[in-house]
Amino acid sequence: MKLHSTNYFDTFIEVAEDTKAVCGTKPPSKGDKKTVAEMQYDMIAGNPYKYTSDDVLFQVFADRNDLSGDEYKAAREQFFSKGQPCFRTSPLTKTYGFGVHSDSEGKIAIYGMETEEYELFVADGKVKKIKAMKSSK
């Protein structure tokens, strides 16, 4: 079975051109259940360069579907057996004003669009840059 990865390497995903954000903003809570944006933010903001994109996307899927640890291996293979949307479609990059940097090992960290680090990644000629997907066509 072919597995599809969402991981990037030495790449910076810039915020979407049509974002309404002016700075990186922690996604707000909406009721009892955490949103996808909140779950992604909590995992990455507290653990920069600890997880890959695949790790975060699968963990959010697993948590939202109440998977137990012993189901993870098979569920992860099933999850990545078809292509999954990458962080270019994440609410963090489209709505909440964060860029996502992937290091040489594919581990990710987020940077608010107002930060010096964000500007340094945009200016760095060695880092591949791609834009997050626009919200509208």
Side-chain angles (χ1 to χ4, degrees):
M1 175 186 333
K2 181 177 182 344
L3 297 182
H4 300 268
S5 176
T6 65
N7 293 341
Y8 285 98
F9 301 90
D10 295 316
T11 302
F12 188 67
I13 301 173
E14 298 177 50
V15 297
E17 284 178 21
D18 63 350
T19 188
K20 291 175 179 53
V22 292
C23 64
T25 307
K26 184 180 191 304
S29 295
K30 294 180 180 166
D32 295 344
K33 213 165 156 77
K34 284 188 172 190
T35 65
V36 167
E38 267 186 291
M39 295 168 90
Q40 290 177 349
Y41 177 88
D42 289 348
M43 255 187 103
I44 305 165
N47 303 286
Y49 300 111
K50 180 175 181 184
Y51 302 110
T52 64
S53 172
D54 284 356
D55 294 339
V56 174
L57 296 173
F58 176 73
Q59 191 60 55
V60 168
F61 167 81
D63 290 348
R64 289 177 62 93
N65 289 281
D66 296 321
L67 298 182
S68 64
D70 54 349
E71 296 175 286
Y72 275 31
K73 187 175 183 329
R76 187 171 171 127
E77 283 180 16
Q78 180 65 39
F79 185 74
F80 289 112
S81 69
K82 58 186 189 297
Q84 295 294 330
C86 69
F87 267 91
R88 291 183 61 212
T89 66
S90 167
L92 295 180
T93 58
K94 291 174 66 169
T95 308
Y96 295 106
F98 289 100
V100 177
H101 178 248
S102 302
D103 68 10
S104 60
E105 296 176 7
K107 309 247 186 223
I108 60 175
I110 56 175
Y111 295 92
M113 61 192 289
E114 78 287 359
T115 63
E116 187 179 337
E117 292 92 342
Y118 184 100
E119 291 303 322
L120 290 171
F121 283 122
V122 171
D124 187 338
K126 295 185 197 82
V127 176
K128 181 180 174 194
K129 283 160 283 293
I130 50 177
K131 291 254 189 222
M133 305 291 266
K134 289 183 182 178
S135 294
S136 54
K137 299 218 186 280

